[in-house]
Amino acid sequence: MHVPPPSPHRLPQRMVVAGATGPVLTGFLERVATALDVPLVPVTELAGPAEVEALAAFDGWVTTAAPEGALAELVERADLVVVLLNEEPGSFRGRVRRTVRRMRADAPAELDLAWFDALALTRPELATVRLVGNPAIEAWVSDCC
């Protein structure tokens, strides 16, 4: 009996990534965009709805998630949505960091992931990945790309 060769797994070409701003998110975005050979286009660099539409129509991209109206259009065209979390929500360390962030006036806003959790209902066919901690992030990048 002849065993057919395994089919290569399909790499995503349009990816939305959410996470706290910082070196972990930046490094992840750069590594994934390079590995997939697609442009990295942060949503904050798009000048308006026309540029968001142009990006969404493009064949391949990696971009950041933004809570503005751009997110819905980009998620609609995405092959994969990834959320990066530095620590497990609800852990003691996470609670301490959240409390300190809330106390500091210059701290960045807390990441709202309600839209990500809703994707299971609104787009059940869309692949989603939640990565918690640097070891999980590194393992996923090594395996994916």
Side-chain angles (χ1 to χ4, degrees):
M1 178 190 315
H2 189 320
V3 178
S7 60
H9 81 166
R10 185 180 176 285
L11 294 176
Q13 294 299 301
R14 294 177 302 274
M15 184 184 303
V16 175
V17 182
T21 304
V24 173
L25 178 64
T26 303
F28 180 85
L29 290 166
E30 290 171 351
R31 287 177 60 193
V32 168
T34 300
L36 297 176
D37 194 27
V38 296
L40 168 57
V41 184
V43 157
T44 55
E45 293 182 8
L46 299 176
E51 287 192 7
V52 172
E53 286 178 31
L55 176 63
F58 195 67
D59 288 337
W61 39 263
V62 173
T63 190
T64 52
E68 300 104 36
L71 181 62
E73 186 162 354
L74 294 172
V75 167
E76 187 63 35
R77 293 272 298 146
D79 298 326
L80 176 66
V81 176
V82 178
V83 169
L84 307 178
L85 300 172
N86 292 333
E87 64 265 328
E88 185 66 44
S91 67
F92 179 73
R93 182 178 178 177
R95 289 181 183 151
V96 168
R97 286 183 177 209
R98 183 186 66 202
T99 302
V100 170
R101 264 195 317 269
R102 289 179 176 172
M103 292 171 44
R104 292 181 50 203
D106 62 337
E110 196 169 321
L111 192 60
D112 179 14
L113 296 176
W115 63 270
F116 179 79
D117 296 332
L119 287 176
L121 299 172
T122 58
R123 296 258 338 260
E125 76 286 356
L126 179 62
T128 59
V129 177
R130 184 184 299 250
L131 302 172
V132 180
N134 284 338
I137 293 168
E138 292 298 322
W140 189 85
V141 171
S142 298
D143 184 49
C144 168
C145 312

